[in-house]
Amino acid sequence: MLELVELTKVYPGATAPVVALDRVSLTVGRGEIFGVIGRSGAGKSTLIRCINLLERPTSGTVRVDGQDLASLDTRALNAARRDIGMVFQHFNLLSSRTAFDNVALPLEIAGRKPAEIAPRVAELLELVGLADEARRYPAQLSGGQKQRVGIARALANRPKVLLCDEATSALDPETTIQILDLVADINRRLGVTVVLITHEMNVVRRIAGKVAVLERGRMLESGAVYDVFTRPQSETTRSFVAETVGYSLPAALRATASRHPGVGAATLLRVDLTDAAAREPLVSELSRRFALDLNIVAGRIDEIQGRPFGSLAMIAAGKPDCIETAIGHLRQRNVHVEVLGHVPADDRPAA
Amino acid sequence: MSRQMIDLLLEALAETLAMVGAAGAVAIAAGLPLGVLLLISGKGHILENRPVNVVAGALVNAVRSTPFIILLVAIVPLTRLIAGTSIGTQAAIVPLSIAATPFVARLFEAAMREVDPGLIHAAQAMGATRLQIVLKVLIPEARPGLMAAATVMLIGLIGYSAMAGAIGGGGLGDLGVRYGYQRFLPEVMAAVVVVLIVLVQAVQSLGDTLVRRYSRR
């Protein structure tokens, strides 16, 4: 549906040129929700604005539904843009128009007749749950309501692609969830392909199926959200994962363990729980089979795409060779285990 | 004040209103496209064109730097060409329009510059043409500011129109100079000043009301 090939954008900087995007390639399938995550300054905004050519890429190709946008003349580009809806962080609604008239704007621009516009706008406001607010001006609406108007407006011309540029970043957490669920619902009902950029892991985790991680204009990794976040390849991705499933070990315990690397009679382990590992009674199995006493000291289990995902830190106490065997057993079953060190009896921090 | 004086005052008021009204209408009609051009031909805007921007800007600045009393007589040939005469109320409308147009164009430009660039991006993302962006986004969104600008321009025109007497344009200012000053009739001068104050107040109040009415922010 959407294909970016070797997309590069260079801005003439004050001293040296600034590379905002460095040969970014990605493909978004029809009906997918594709998230692009990155810290501020990673190039996300430039990337999404290159998709509808609000920014002209320095080099590379943007293909939407097979059409190379850069090759189009102004008239054809304007027609192609009607197939790409866009939702903005700061809503960008016209303050002089009511909610109804804001949603009508793209239809007016597309040259539709007023008789066609009115029922379509009513239908769209219904879709986003704002039928009762049609006559209100943006200044009279809450942030969440404004973004609903923004979404209705973006969908007016029945686009094939919906671009969300930090669409929830100006909203409070509760409203963010409502707006994300609305986008996911629209994606299911209308089959529209969604590309969203964000700096929030929770946004990607909640609705995206695929994700690309962007840093300093480069794409670090991409793939199915679950795979990328359960097997992060880059430090940036790991830090995003830590934001949602992160927990910190008690500092004294971690210090003690790091002074005594390797396995001992009481070994501090971190076990990543993904898929199967999270569904099985792992702890009691280890305890029974390898005669270990397991003491969970920290942990968090969450969900990505409805699949369990998390990690536990525990102290395994028992015979060191039994602990080794247990670790081997877990690894054999593709469970990621990290030995953080051991805690000798005479150096155990006061609990 | 004599009946005759009141008649003169009313006549002068009518002349002032005619000059300010006609020149104001021309200035708004010509100043809005000129203001749009000044804005959108600027750097990074939707019709970026440096030569056009520089020439339009220089022209506007040149007219605005010319003192009105000089403009009034300097363009007499043009006035004659347009109005058919170089004296009288009708003739005065020509230089008044020419002075007010670049003035209000700059004010319009400034008002439209205040429109959030994000709205222009949103319209572009919808596939809007440049004309659509101007007509459906820039002008409607700047409407309160445009109205405030037009109000300032109309009040400026009331002041300029006092000089129209120099080419026989009549009006309140002319009445004040000829009767109040040259014939030593201070009560006429006072009456003229009072009428002008009331007129300016009325225009300002009307303008403020319209600005409030269209402000949705």
Side-chain angles (χ1 to χ4, degrees):
Chain A
M1 185 71 228
L2 180 68
E3 204 183 347
L4 308 182
V5 186
E6 296 271 302
L7 208 62
T8 299
K9 174 77 188 184
V10 182
Y11 292 106
T15 48
V18 178
V19 181
L21 288 178
D22 188 1
R23 287 164 292 149
V24 173
S25 298
L26 55 87
T27 307
V28 182
R30 193 177 297 272
E32 268 179 8
I33 299 185
F34 195 103
V36 177
I37 191 167
R39 308 282 179 205
S40 59
K44 324 182 281 293
S45 279
T46 307
L47 176 70
I48 202 161
R49 292 160 62 88
C50 278
I51 295 177
N52 58 6
L53 252 53
L54 282 184
E55 300 269 10
R56 288 264 168 188
T58 310
S59 67
T61 316
V62 179
R63 265 194 290 271
V64 178
D65 211 11
Q67 203 172 29
D68 178 0
L69 293 193
S71 70
L72 303 175
D73 62 13
T74 309
R75 181 187 288 268
L77 175 62
N78 280 339
R81 279 173 169 169
R82 284 171 203 151
D83 280 341
I84 309 172
M86 193 166 192
V87 179
F88 300 87
Q89 176 176 6
H90 298 294
F91 324 123
N92 294 359
L93 301 177
L94 270 62
S95 64
S96 60
R97 286 177 170 238
T98 60
F100 186 97
D101 291 334
N102 264 289
V103 178
L105 180 62
L107 298 164
E108 291 172 21
I109 284 171
R112 307 251 180 247
K113 295 185 189 71
E116 258 178 284
I117 292 177
R120 176 70 184 145
V121 174
E123 182 189 339
L124 286 158
L125 287 173
E126 187 73 42
L127 177 74
V128 299
L130 279 184
D132 296 337
E133 318 294 335
R135 293 281 144 227
R136 286 179 182 271
Y137 287 89
Q140 301 167 308
L141 299 173
S142 70
Q145 288 174 326
K146 282 186 217 174
Q147 199 56 296
R148 284 168 190 272
V149 176
I151 291 170
R153 180 177 73 174
L155 294 172
N157 281 315
R158 301 177 201 277
K160 297 179 189 133
V161 179
L162 181 64
L163 306 177
C164 299
D165 184 359
E166 295 273 11
T168 58
S169 299
L171 303 174
D172 61 58
E174 204 175 312
T175 315
T176 293
I177 288 174
Q178 290 169 5
I179 293 295
L180 290 177
D181 289 350
L182 175 66
V183 171
D185 181 52
I186 284 164
N187 165 260
R188 269 191 305 270
R189 284 161 64 176
L190 309 180
V192 61
T193 306
V194 178
V195 177
L196 55 91
I197 63 159
T198 181
H199 61 273
E200 289 173 298
M201 174 71 184
N202 279 324
V203 170
V204 170
R205 204 167 61 100
R206 191 165 182 97
I207 67 169
K210 287 201 180 154
V211 66
V213 182
L214 212 61
E215 188 181 68
R216 271 181 268 155
R218 286 175 185 238
M219 201 172 73
L220 298 177
E221 49 195 300
S222 73
V225 171
Y226 195 79
D227 297 341
V228 170
F229 288 132
T230 51
R231 281 186 285 278
Q233 305 296 312
S234 66
E235 204 39 60
T236 304
T237 313
R238 259 190 287 277
S239 72
F240 277 120
V241 174
E243 272 172 28
T244 43
V245 293
Y247 57 84
S248 47
L249 288 167
L253 182 62
R254 192 169 46 193
T256 309
S258 64
R259 276 200 302 276
H260 306 283
V263 173
T267 305
L268 183 61
L269 301 174
R270 180 157 58 209
V271 180
D272 284 351
L273 300 172
T274 57
D275 270 343
R279 262 182 247 122
E280 283 167 21
L282 205 84
V283 174
S284 53
E285 190 194 332
L286 288 183
S287 180
R288 266 201 310 273
R289 271 184 76 169
F290 303 97
L292 301 176
D293 288 323
L294 294 165
N295 180 20
I296 295 172
V297 289
R300 187 161 167 184
I301 300 178
D302 223 312
E303 245 188 14
I304 291 181
Q305 298 274 293
R307 290 158 77 183
F309 166 59
S311 116
L312 291 178
M314 49 187 145
I315 296 175
K319 287 189 192 132
D321 54 334
C322 286
I323 296 174
E324 296 275 15
T325 319
I327 293 168
H329 171 74
L330 288 175
R331 288 191 173 145
Q332 209 168 17
R333 291 172 53 192
N334 275 328
V335 177
H336 182 83
V337 185
E338 196 179 346
V339 177
L340 300 172
H342 64 277
V343 187
D346 53 3
D347 197 3
R348 205 160 286 178
Chain B
M1 208 186 302
S2 69
R3 176 77 232 171
Q4 209 181 355
M5 271 298 132
I6 290 173
D7 282 348
L8 272 174
L9 204 59
L10 286 176
E11 195 189 332
L13 176 64
E15 285 163 355
T16 293
L17 290 177
M19 285 188 289
V20 171
V26 171
I28 290 170
L32 189 55
L34 184 55
V36 167
L37 186 71
L38 285 169
L39 178 67
I40 68 174
S41 64
K43 194 166 162 52
H45 221 290
I46 56 175
L47 196 71
E48 182 172 344
N49 188 323
R50 192 162 159 76
V52 168
N53 191 256
V54 167
V55 169
L59 204 69
V60 161
N61 292 347
V63 177
R64 288 192 64 197
S65 338
T66 313
F68 182 64
I69 191 79
I70 291 173
L71 185 79
L72 200 61
V73 289
I75 62 159
V76 160
L78 180 69
T79 303
R80 193 176 289 126
L81 193 74
I82 295 172
T85 168
S86 60
I87 50 167
T89 306
Q90 230 176 317
I93 292 169
V94 176
L96 282 171
S97 305
I98 287 172
T101 300
F103 175 61
V104 80
R106 278 289 187 215
L107 297 179
F108 283 164
E109 179 199 3
M112 287 182 288
R113 199 183 290 285
E114 292 302 305
V115 173
D116 179 1
L119 301 183
I120 296 166
H121 297 150
Q124 285 174 322
M126 290 171 203
T129 63
R130 286 185 279 237
L131 184 64
Q132 284 173 324
I133 291 173
V134 170
L135 295 180
K136 289 185 180 290
V137 178
L138 276 179
I139 293 176
E141 280 295 299
R143 193 158 47 186
L146 295 175
M147 286 170 168
T151 307
V152 170
M153 180 271 291
L154 286 174
I155 289 171
L157 268 181
I158 293 172
Y160 281 176
S161 73
M163 291 180 237
I167 58 163
L172 288 164
D174 186 42
L175 182 72
V177 170
R178 284 192 293 122
Y179 286 72
Y181 178 64
Q182 290 163 350
R183 294 193 192 180
F184 304 104
L185 294 170
E187 71 276 14
V188 176
M189 187 62 99
V192 163
V193 170
V194 168
V195 172
L196 282 173
I197 289 173
V198 171
L199 186 60
V200 168
Q201 289 288 353
V203 170
Q204 187 65 53
S205 302
L206 183 70
D208 289 347
T209 307
L210 287 173
V211 169
R212 260 198 309 278
R213 169 123 182 240
Y214 286 103
S215 290
R216 303 287 186 192
R217 267 186 242 231

